[in-house]
Amino acid sequence: MKVMMTEHATEFVPPLSFQVLSRNDVYTNTFDEKNSKVVAHIDLADWADLVIVAPATANIIAKMANGQADDMVTTTLLATEAPVWVAPAMNVHMINHPAVVRNINQLYADGVRFIEPEEGYLACGYVGRGRLEEPEKIVQRVHEFFFRR
Ligand SMILES: Cc1cc2nc3c(=O)[nH]c(=O)nc-3n(C[C@H](O)[C@H](O)[C@H](O)COP(=O)(O)O)c2cc1C
């Protein structure tokens, strides 16, 4: 497994945590070219058999729906031919916002697969839809995708 993080994601979890867990370099910056033999975002995009965006913010969903590529994650997502799975996590009002609904529908139309968020207690204190699906279930869905087709 290889991990990419947005700059904002690194505010929540230090890249070193994912580096140790994945035993791989963590990619956070499009211009941090660790290997001069390749262009990192293309190399990563070609390497992946599947890309999971989790937890997917309203922001990255909007960027993906519009084909934006202004950081390592979104640039790699545009460059990959691997199936892309998105597991959103956000406040219930955000996930129900017409703009977010529109962006999710656009991504469905583009062939992106979703691991829909659960109902439950949200980190912001609200109770409702928007809770990231349990990591075990995300892994199970991916396992089913590869082995039960
Ligand atoms: C404590 C905290 C929790 C947040 N939780 C979420 C969240 O669950 N979903 C979301 O879409 N945005 C959330 N945000 C807002 C995003 O961090 C913000 O939109 C950010 O710009 C997302 O950037 P990225 O998509 O590049 O990672 C949160 C912000 C803070 C400060």
Side-chain angles (χ1 to χ4, degrees), residues 6 8-9 12 57-60 89-90 94:
T6 63
H8 287 141
F12 293 87
T57 60
N59 182 54
I60 198 155
M90 65 194 77
M94 292 172 80

Side-chain angles (χ1 to χ4, degrees), residues 3-144:
V3 178
M4 301 179 282
M5 300 175 76
T6 63
E7 195 187 334
H8 287 141
T10 65
E11 295 279 343
F12 293 87
V13 185
L16 183 60
S17 300
F18 287 119
Q19 180 185 311
V20 171
L21 288 170
S22 68
R23 301 202 182 279
N24 269 312
D25 290 337
V26 171
Y27 298 79
T28 56
N29 181 341
T30 326
F31 298 96
D32 178 15
E33 294 284 349
K34 298 177 198 302
N35 177 356
S36 59
K37 302 266 185 300
V38 297
V39 174
H41 63 274
I42 302 297
D43 190 49
L44 209 50
D46 290 344
W47 172 86
D49 294 315
L50 185 139
V51 183
I52 303 177
V53 184
T57 60
N59 182 54
I60 198 155
I61 287 170
K63 286 190 190 179
M64 290 172 71
N66 287 284
Q68 225 170 302
D70 66 351
D71 64 8
M72 184 66 196
V73 176
T74 49
T75 307
T76 307
L77 282 166
L78 270 194
T80 193
E81 289 190 323
V84 175
W85 288 50
V86 171
M90 65 194 77
N91 169 268
V92 59
H93 296 158
M94 292 172 80
I95 197 122
N96 289 330
H97 191 285
V100 175
V101 172
R102 187 167 63 237
N103 290 333
I104 288 176
N105 286 339
Q106 180 61 59
L107 289 176
Y108 266 117
D110 291 346
V112 170
R113 294 172 174 85
F114 277 82
I115 300 172
E116 290 286 350
E118 291 192 319
E119 297 232 352
Y121 182 76
L122 306 175
C124 55
Y126 278 82
V127 175
R129 201 166 76 89
R131 189 184 165 93
L132 178 71
E133 180 57 281
E134 293 298 332
E136 294 80 5
K137 289 196 182 159
I138 296 176
V139 171
Q140 185 188 337
R141 294 279 301 278
V142 171
H143 190 271
E144 285 167 5

